[in-house]
Amino acid sequence: MDIETQRDSGRTGAKGMGRAAVRGLALALVALPGAVLCFTLSLVSFALIPIGVGIVTTPWVLTGVRAFADWRRVLAAEWGGVRIPSAYRPIPEDANPWTRTFGMLRDPATWRDARWLPVDMTAGFVTALLPAVLVLYPLEGFALAAGLWRVFPDGYWYGFVPVTGQASALAAAALGLVILFFGHFFAPRALQAHFRLTKAVLGANQGELAERVRVLTETRRDAVDTSAAELRRIERDLHDGAQARLVAMGMDLGTIEMLLDKDPAKARELLAQARRSSVDALAELRDLVRGIHPPVLAERGLGDAVKALALRLPLPSEVTVELPGRADAPVESAAYFAISEILTNAVKHSGADRLWIDLHHAEGMLRITVTDDGKGGAAIGAGSGLAGVERRLGTFDGVLAVSSPAGGPTMVTMEIPCVLS
């Protein structure tokens, strides 16, 4: 039993050594030109930004670099069991080149990629090629011992062994056997070292993790403040609206009770007034409930809720919905009220004649676009409604982009990472 186990271990070790050599050689042959190409194109594109050409080319180049880095992440997970999370900040699909370029350049992951490319074309190339060298180089020593040394009448150096005859060729074969012995143990480890080196450069560092914690803390604080403000608004609306009407209606009913026998006509008049007050109170309660969580949103989902919202707008609007399922309730609620805020701003300030709303889901992102044909000039700034929308979306790692040149049109794009069920 022990002998069989040793044989199986030996076969597994030889297989692992050969697999590491083949994978390392493939990595070295593909990674070196790929890293050189990506690094060169990135430098050229960055250099062209001041003259405007780089504004157009940089998003395409960086998208290619990210695809190359993500492919290496996949290989690290499948071939080395080393998982390297991809932590790129989402960029709205419909953002203009300026927004895409500087959005990518502000992403720390972009500069991690830029640091990784020269490391990959140097130390990464060496660590990827080493397993193949440990396995293939001994074959040359064996070939020399088998008679290849006769092809080199003036001698040949194999490692540190000068091969001039059969005896020295056998010494070269012995050296090759030693290298192969070490390759049996170190070839898979060298490939593993390559993937660990990739993770060390491409992985997020402690500073970025601290920044991520800071952003999450801020968005959580914003969410808490927003919830508290929403509760105060609900209390105020109840106190000043429905509650006041219900109190007045109770007083009217008390008066009606006293006037039923003395003045039936006056009692009927007050009864009609109480009925109107009850209708108004019910309408205010419905509006209040709709402001908290619209029933159509809970029952029929975000698409139908936005269509119902558009029907109440004073401007003609066109709604396009391509959602194969529903997101989680908090995400739907955040998206709904963000759209409502943007539409309110458009109606009040844009001077538009028409609105277009598009909702679709792709690549794990809920993408929402609100476009108007107004005068433009919208911007995300302190105190603006768009700043509040940005904070609302930030709670869910969502992003907001605005394209609003003077004279219009204005396009507001939102993206929220989510899955549909």
Side-chain angles (χ1 to χ4, degrees):
M1 185 66 179
D2 292 340
I3 294 176
E4 291 298 326
T5 302
Q6 291 175 4
R7 288 176 180 173
D8 291 342
S9 176
R11 284 195 293 267
T12 303
K15 184 178 179 180
M17 177 179 63
R19 184 167 54 239
V22 172
R23 290 175 173 178
L25 182 61
L27 265 177
L29 294 178
V30 175
L32 179 61
V36 171
L37 178 64
C38 289
F39 187 68
T40 303
L41 290 177
S42 298
L43 289 181
V44 172
S45 188
F46 293 165
L48 293 176
I49 288 178
I51 63 174
V53 178
I55 299 294
V56 178
T57 60
T58 296
W60 295 99
V61 171
L62 291 182
T63 298
V65 172
R66 292 181 175 190
F68 181 66
D70 283 338
W71 172 67
R72 299 295 294 278
R73 290 183 174 97
V74 172
L75 291 185
E78 293 182 353
W79 288 1
V82 178
R83 302 198 175 276
I84 310 172
S86 180
Y88 299 111
R89 294 177 180 174
I91 301 294
E93 191 177 58
D94 300 327
N96 57 48
W98 180 276
T99 302
R100 292 183 65 84
T101 296
F102 289 96
M104 286 181 162
L105 292 179
R106 285 194 295 266
D107 189 348
T110 297
W111 302 106
R112 278 202 308 271
D113 291 348
R115 292 192 301 268
W116 166 68
L117 289 173
V119 173
D120 190 55
M121 70 179 70
T122 53
F125 173 76
V126 172
T127 53
L129 189 62
L130 185 57
V133 172
L134 291 174
V135 173
L136 298 179
Y137 191 54
L139 301 180
E140 183 181 346
F142 300 152
L144 288 171
L148 184 63
W149 63 272
R150 292 184 176 88
V151 180
F152 307 100
D154 297 330
Y156 180 81
W157 282 88
Y158 178 77
F160 55 84
V161 177
V163 180
T164 56
Q166 186 62 49
S168 56
L170 291 175
L175 177 59
L177 190 62
V178 172
I179 295 174
L180 190 63
F181 175 78
F182 282 101
H184 177 82
F185 295 100
F186 292 106
R189 296 180 183 179
L191 188 62
Q192 190 76 8
H194 169 84
F195 293 128
R196 293 192 179 279
L197 175 65
T198 302
K199 181 178 182 179
V201 183
L202 275 183
N205 57 35
Q206 292 299 320
E208 292 174 11
L209 292 177
E211 174 66 14
R212 177 64 175 157
V213 171
R214 184 190 67 79
V215 171
L216 290 175
T217 301
E218 288 184 356
T219 56
R220 184 185 63 182
R221 184 172 60 248
D222 289 339
V224 171
D225 292 343
T226 301
S227 298
E230 194 72 10
L231 285 174
R232 289 193 297 269
R233 181 188 68 81
I234 294 170
E235 291 174 354
R236 183 177 61 253
D237 291 346
L238 281 173
H239 182 271
D240 297 341
Q243 180 179 341
R245 290 188 181 277
L246 290 173
V247 170
M249 188 171 64
M251 296 174 63
D252 288 342
L253 290 174
T255 305
I256 292 169
E257 187 177 4
M258 292 184 294
L259 292 175
L260 279 176
D261 297 330
K262 299 178 181 179
D263 191 349
K266 184 64 175 178
R268 281 194 298 271
E269 181 182 344
L270 291 177
L271 190 60
Q273 181 177 334
R275 185 174 63 250
R276 289 193 299 270
S277 296
S278 68
V279 172
D280 293 340
L282 183 59
E284 289 184 358
L285 286 173
R286 284 174 176 169
D287 291 339
L288 183 61
V289 170
R290 189 180 293 113
I292 299 172
H293 194 76
V296 66
L297 179 62
E299 296 170 4
R300 303 184 61 179
L302 180 61
D304 287 340
V306 173
K307 290 178 181 178
L309 180 63
L311 290 175
R312 298 196 299 270
L313 295 175
L315 298 178
S317 58
E318 180 179 333
V319 182
T320 303
V321 179
E322 297 179 4
L323 299 177
R326 294 191 59 175
D328 292 338
V331 174
E332 285 192 334
S333 179
Y336 175 84
F337 287 110
I339 296 171
S340 177
E341 179 71 23
I342 292 171
L343 292 176
T344 301
N345 287 345
V347 170
K348 288 183 178 179
H349 308 298
S350 70
D353 296 321
R354 191 170 183 83
L355 297 167
W356 293 266
I357 309 161
D358 177 78
L359 296 88
H360 67 278
H361 186 273
E363 300 176 358
M365 290 284 179
L366 173 62
R367 294 191 174 96
I368 305 164
T369 303
V370 179
T371 308
D372 67 63
D373 59 357
K375 61 186 178 181
I380 303 174
S384 72
L386 292 176
V389 172
E390 187 177 42
R391 288 194 301 271
R392 183 189 293 272
L393 298 180
T395 307
F396 300 90
D397 281 344
V399 294
L400 175 73
V402 179
S403 174
S404 184
T410 295
M411 176 183 290
V412 180
T413 304
M414 295 169 281
E415 286 191 349
I416 307 175
C418 67
V419 294
L420 302 185
S421 59

